[in-house]
Amino acid sequence: MRFNPMAGNPLRTRDDLRAALADLFAPLVPHFSPGRARVRLGGGAAHFDQAAAELEGFARPLWGLAPLALGKGDFDHWDLFREGLANGTDPDHPEFWGEQTDRNQRLVEMAALGFALALIPEIVWQPQSERAKRNIVRYLARANELAYGENNWKFFRILVDLGLERVGAPFDRGPMQAYLDELEHLYLGDGWYRDGPVRRVDHYVPFALHFYSLIYAELAPHDSARAERYRERAALFASDFQHWFAEDGAVLPFGRSLTYRFATGSFWGALAFADLEALPWGVIKSLHLRHLRWWSRHPIADRDGVLSIGYGYPNLMMSESYNSPGSPYWAFKAFLPLALPEDHPFWLAEEAPSPDVDGPVPLPHPGMVVERTTGHCYALSSGQENLQMRHGPEKYAKFAYSSRYAFSVESDQRSFAGGAFDSMLALSDDGRHYRVREANEAALVVGDMLYALWRPWPDVTVETWLLPQGPWHVRLHRIVSERALTLTEGGFALGRADHDPEPVVAEPGKAAVFGPDDVSGIVDLGSDVERQGLAAKAAPNTSLMFPRSWVPQLTGRIEAGLTRLACAVLAIADPEAGAKLWRTPPGMPDLDRIERAFAESGRRVTAIEVAAQ
């Protein structure tokens, strides 16, 4: 319980969710400032100023608390938010949040305030003094005069305006209409969006773009045509997004902002909030609650119960520059279903499993092929990039991502010999520095196979084909280089024990780790060069899931010219089955046949169509 306030909660009913929200919020109470307008949860910093960070700590819990109140749930601390809202918007108060400016972090947090005003004005607005009301309106209306980021941020202005509208405050509706129209340019089709003019199609699709659009669809019935369009898109997306979730409730960790943790499942709650049965209610409910139950089993909080920056455990190494100590509380978006009455079909439904899928599922918009297998789901990936963000290659450009084994971030770009390189091919021309796939010049999908062309150096070209093979997947690389290179290719990371080390295999052409619950391995399928197997002990805290981890790797050297590499990668949460599978890897695919298939019917991955920033 100390490291996860939700630990032990069965998370099956509306009351269970109410209790989880109360337990998660309770550790925040001692951290409210004397004027209640700021919540400081740690000594770390983000790229924005401290006042904005403390506003973040104040505002983000409202994503769960406002729905709780709308659903008639009890909460003993509304006085903190009423007083804090009045003081934070008062320019004469020492805890004033500071004036907003273009593309400022304060604009992000205004969305939660607008959301609360729209849902529960009788709690956060009506008890305020007339002076406080004027300050609140002035502060929120100021947001209408400013420029937001060219991405999901445009919804923040819209949510602010919904709040102002609900309390009867005058505001210029022109900017809201303009942003609603501009958001249309982010839509890719089949329910998928991109989050700005970038090659990124990640969790911001479900927990931002669809989440906000479904709230708008429910709170803006006057805009019926747009609301219906939002609902139709969400229904399409639901049929694809369900495949990102494993049977145990874990989701594919992919892309940025993973410290928001169970916000990734808030899409299912948003469907319920908008009364949209995109899948059977029992399936939606199960996806939502299984996800929360999975998170309840991981040490995601500090000793006092405050949610930490990290993923499977506290981990600053994987964070972004915009992560302040209050950032993880966007996870409270997952409590949106608490707004619903107890007789809503979402709450009345019996949990039901997701429909069985026979084989891999291609998702051309994000450039993925997703498959569920024993103990996890994994995605083969080609076509996305993030060249601006720390650990962008790891978060967007690995060959594979897993709900159970996650991925790793590198701790030292000058340590080729010590890199984790899980689900990556790392190349070095000096034995010290290394390069991996960061961006693709081309990315194609045909059936359940992916292709990418990438260049780690101007004079080195790599073509990569990715093929799902049940619990295995196969990787083929064709490298044309004008220089000799050393290389390391990794499989999936696996947790490493403290005292009784897991049995490992490290032989020519193969490497594997046999854990008490899992097997992870990589085997060469007949490359042009011999590769040595290595069970690498990755640097601590590089894996998002395991503080200490193994990574099975293949290492070797290639000369200038043409080199073909081939390997099969296995990860499975069944030691007995894994041991049998390890003895019978897939055979070498027919690359000529595969190339013909791509030449005849390859479809360009949608994500790569967007010009990189």
Side-chain angles (χ1 to χ4, degrees):
M1 185 71 175
R2 183 175 59 172
F3 295 109
N4 191 324
M6 295 191 297
N9 187 326
L11 291 166
R12 293 187 179 277
T13 68
R14 186 166 174 255
D15 285 343
D16 291 340
L17 241 65
R18 286 177 166 182
L21 178 58
D23 290 339
L24 285 162
F25 179 78
L28 304 185
V29 175
H31 299 284
F32 274 76
S33 59
R36 312 305 193 191
R38 302 187 183 189
V39 178
R40 188 171 191 175
L41 297 175
H47 68 73
F48 43 83
D49 60 276
Q50 187 61 38
E54 293 172 9
L55 163 60
E56 188 175 65
F58 171 89
R60 293 199 171 188
L62 290 168
W63 288 112
L65 296 172
L68 172 73
L70 184 64
K72 310 302 182 186
D74 295 330
F75 181 64
D76 296 331
H77 300 290
W78 280 119
D79 57 315
L80 298 178
F81 287 95
R82 283 190 289 266
E83 184 179 351
L85 181 58
N87 292 335
T89 56
D90 183 353
D92 296 326
H93 195 277
E95 293 187 10
F96 177 56
W97 290 323
E99 294 295 347
Q100 302 120 308
T101 56
D102 289 341
R103 298 176 182 85
N104 182 272
Q105 182 67 25
R106 289 164 179 79
L107 301 180
V108 177
E109 310 316 324
M110 291 302 98
L113 304 182
F115 177 65
L117 288 179
L119 259 60
I120 51 169
E122 69 282 1
I123 293 176
V124 295
W125 168 260
Q126 291 174 8
Q128 300 283 359
S129 69
E130 290 304 312
R131 180 177 183 275
K133 288 179 179 178
R134 288 193 298 271
N135 283 332
I136 294 168
V137 169
R138 183 201 66 83
Y139 198 79
L140 269 65
R142 166 67 176 158
N144 260 338
E145 305 168 11
L146 301 171
Y148 289 67
E150 296 296 322
N151 51 25
N152 73 92
W153 278 38
K154 291 181 183 291
F155 264 118
F156 300 152
R157 172 185 282 173
I158 293 160
L159 289 165
V160 166
D161 287 352
L162 289 175
L164 292 173
E165 183 177 59
R166 179 68 190 278
V167 300
F171 65 96
D172 180 2
R173 296 177 181 273
M176 177 168 70
Q177 187 61 47
Y179 270 18
L180 285 166
D181 294 340
E182 290 167 18
L183 282 161
E184 291 297 310
H185 300 305
L186 302 181
Y187 188 61
L188 297 174
D190 302 316
W192 290 88
Y193 289 84
R194 55 185 171 89
D195 189 28
V198 290
R199 290 172 171 170
R200 293 199 305 256
V201 183
D202 54 22
H203 280 290
Y204 277 82
V205 180
F207 72 43
L209 292 158
H210 276 300
F211 184 84
Y212 303 136
S213 65
L214 289 170
I215 288 172
Y216 181 84
E218 186 66 13
L219 299 185
H222 57 278
D223 194 356
S224 58
R226 193 184 307 274
E228 181 59 26
R229 188 159 64 246
Y230 284 161
R231 286 187 165 95
E232 290 173 355
R233 292 174 181 175
L236 289 170
F237 181 74
S239 65
D240 280 351
F241 189 49
Q242 64 176 318
H243 302 300
W244 283 35
F245 289 78
E247 291 181 1
D248 62 0
V251 71
L252 285 173
F254 174 81
R256 65 192 180 106
S257 296
L258 295 178
T259 198
Y260 302 154
R261 294 190 173 98
F262 40 94
T264 56
S266 64
F267 171 75
W268 307 114
L271 291 177
F273 182 77
D275 203 27
L276 176 59
E277 193 177 8
L279 302 171
W281 282 122
V283 173
I284 293 173
K285 181 179 181 180
S286 180
L287 284 163
H288 189 79
L289 296 182
R290 275 187 290 138
H291 186 57
L292 286 171
R293 290 197 290 269
W294 185 86
W295 278 110
S296 75
R297 299 191 291 270
H298 294 277
I300 59 176
D302 290 321
R303 286 185 293 273
D304 61 356
V306 171
L307 292 178
S308 65
I309 294 174
Y311 192 69
Y313 59 95
N315 183 351
L316 280 173
M317 193 176 296
M318 55 75 66
S319 65
E320 283 86 31
S321 63
Y322 55 80
N323 289 154
S324 84
S327 291
Y329 284 88
W330 244 10
F332 276 26
K333 288 181 174 183
F335 294 101
L336 186 57
L338 291 178
L340 305 173
E342 61 184 356
D343 61 352
H344 189 277
F346 175 86
W347 292 119
L348 294 178
E350 294 290 330
E351 288 191 41
S354 299
D356 290 333
V357 178
D358 185 16
V361 179
L363 301 175
H365 293 294
M368 290 181 171
V369 174
V370 182
E371 185 163 18
R372 286 199 189 106
T373 186
T374 305
H376 72 129
C377 65
Y378 72 90
L380 304 181
S381 181
S382 284
Q384 299 204 42
E385 67 185 45
N386 191 321
L387 303 180
Q388 299 80 30
M389 192 167 295
R390 188 162 61 111
H391 302 309
E394 294 99 312
K395 293 172 180 176
Y396 287 90
K398 286 182 184 278
F399 303 134
Y401 295 86
S402 165
S403 64
R404 182 176 179 88
Y405 310 109
F407 64 89
S408 303
V409 295
E410 299 304 330
S411 60
D412 187 351
Q413 292 185 344
R414 299 169 299 174
S415 178
F416 174 70
F421 305 135
D422 59 315
S423 300
M424 299 183 104
L425 175 64
L427 306 163
S428 177
D429 61 359
D430 64 2
R432 182 180 183 187
H433 303 85
Y434 60 85
R435 299 198 181 187
V436 296
R437 182 169 70 167
E438 296 183 1
N440 299 291
E441 292 186 14
L444 303 173
V445 57
V446 59
D448 59 9
M449 300 183 293
L450 292 168
Y451 164 85
L453 169 66
W454 50 287
R455 298 181 195 272
W457 289 270
D459 61 348
V460 179
T461 300
V462 184
E463 293 177 280
T464 295
W465 293 263
L466 302 174
L467 292 70
Q469 298 278 328
W472 293 88
H473 73 266
V474 172
R475 307 177 197 161
L476 308 174
H477 309 288
R478 184 160 57 205
I479 304 172
V480 178
S481 175
E482 295 185 15
R483 65 183 81 184
L485 298 168
T486 52
L487 58 87
T488 296
E489 185 167 8
F492 288 104
L494 202 63
R496 181 155 56 97
D498 282 340
H499 301 296
D500 298 318
E502 294 81 4
V504 301
V505 170
E507 302 173 359
K510 62 179 65 176
V513 180
F514 295 87
D517 301 306
D518 303 85
V519 174
S520 177
I522 184 170
V523 58
D524 193 276
L525 295 182
S527 300
D528 289 345
V529 296
E530 182 175 304
R531 293 196 278 178
Q532 174 64 39
L534 172 68
K537 295 180 179 180
N541 306 313
T542 49
S543 165
L544 269 65
M545 282 304 303
F546 314 113
R548 290 158 48 86
S549 60
W550 295 101
V551 179
Q553 297 176 343
L554 297 174
T555 64
R557 179 178 175 83
I558 65 173
E559 301 301 325
L562 170 65
T563 305
R564 289 160 295 198
L565 305 176
C567 69
V569 177
L570 170 70
I572 186 170
D574 184 331
E576 184 176 350
K580 293 179 181 178
L581 286 163
W582 177 246
R583 294 192 290 270
T584 56
M588 178 69 177
D590 183 345
L591 183 55
D592 290 339
R593 180 188 64 80
I594 293 169
E595 287 195 272
R596 285 196 301 271
F598 277 97
E600 293 170 0
S601 56
R603 172 181 172 180
R604 192 167 166 86
V605 168
T606 312
I608 204 171
E609 298 287 350
V610 184
Q613 284 183 332

